[in-house]
Amino acid sequence: MTITNDIQVVVFGLGQEEFALPVTTVREILDHRTAYRVPHAPDWFLGLTDVRGTSVPMVDLRVRLGMAPAQATLTTRVLVIDMPGTDGSSLALGLVVDRVLDVATFPADAIEGSPALGDRWRSQQIEAILRRGADFVALLDPVRLFGAGDLDATLSFAVAA
C-alpha cells in the first residue's frame, strides 16, 4: 500500500498499544454503554446498543484483535464507524476501545507499509504503520478487520435480536 498524501486519523489505545482509524470512517465517539447481549454470538460481538434510534452492533476490539478483554473504565469509548455492507449498503458498527487519544494528521513521509508482524497482529488487518516520533501507531483497515463472513454473522445476530 502506498499513501502519497497526508492522512487524518482517530488515534486510540488498546492496552499499551496505539491504533488508528481514518477519520472518514468514524461517525462519532461515544461514552461507553452496556450492550444488549445476543445469545450464541462470537466472543468479540458484545451485542446491540441504541444510537439515536438505530440498533448498532457493538464489537470488543480488544477481543477481535486477539487481546484479553478488559473491564470498562471512565476512559472506555465507543467509536461508531461506517462500514460498507456486503450488499453495498452502509453498516454502522460500534467499536469498544480503551481510550481515545486524539485526532491527528500524519504526513505521507510518516506512513509506512504494513510489515510482516508475525503472531502478534495479523498483518492483513493493519493497513499501514504511522510514525509518531519514536513511537508507532497501527492504522487499521476496518474492511479487512471484519471480513465479509464476519459482517454477515454480525448482521444475522443483530437481526435475530
Side-chain angles (χ1 to χ4, degrees):
M1 182 201 98
T2 303
I3 298 176
T4 57
N5 297 318
D6 296 354
I7 185 170
Q8 190 174 30
V9 297
V10 176
V11 181
F12 58 91
L14 295 173
Q16 299 302 312
E17 308 293 334
E18 290 186 8
F19 296 91
L21 286 168
V23 75
T24 56
T25 64
V26 179
R27 181 190 313 168
E28 58 188 308
I29 301 169
L30 305 172
D31 290 336
H32 182 265
R33 53 188 63 190
T34 303
Y36 170 78
R37 297 291 302 171
V38 176
H40 310 293
D43 56 350
W44 50 266
F45 182 71
L46 296 173
L48 300 172
T49 191
D50 178 75
V51 177
R52 296 179 205 344
T54 302
S55 297
V56 174
M58 283 183 42
V59 171
D60 185 334
L61 195 53
R62 291 176 63 91
V63 174
R64 183 66 185 155
L65 289 172
M67 301 170 77
Q71 290 294 110
T73 68
L74 291 175
T75 62
T76 303
R77 297 290 180 262
V78 178
L79 300 177
V80 179
I81 66 168
D82 288 317
M83 296 267 305
T86 55
D87 63 355
S89 65
S90 181
L91 169 69
L93 283 179
L95 304 180
V96 177
V97 301
D98 294 349
R99 64 200 169 282
V100 172
L101 301 168
D102 62 356
V103 174
T105 301
F106 287 86
D109 63 356
I111 304 168
E112 301 175 3
S114 179
L117 300 171
D119 293 335
R120 182 154 188 172
W121 310 114
R122 295 189 317 201
S123 61
Q124 68 267 24
Q125 296 172 333
I126 307 291
E127 186 171 349
I129 298 297
L130 310 174
R131 286 189 166 271
R132 182 186 282 203
D135 295 324
F136 300 96
V137 177
L139 178 64
L140 296 176
D141 180 341
V143 173
R144 290 188 281 179
L145 189 60
F146 300 97
D150 290 333
L151 284 178
D152 288 341
T154 300
L155 284 173
S156 68
F157 284 115
V159 169

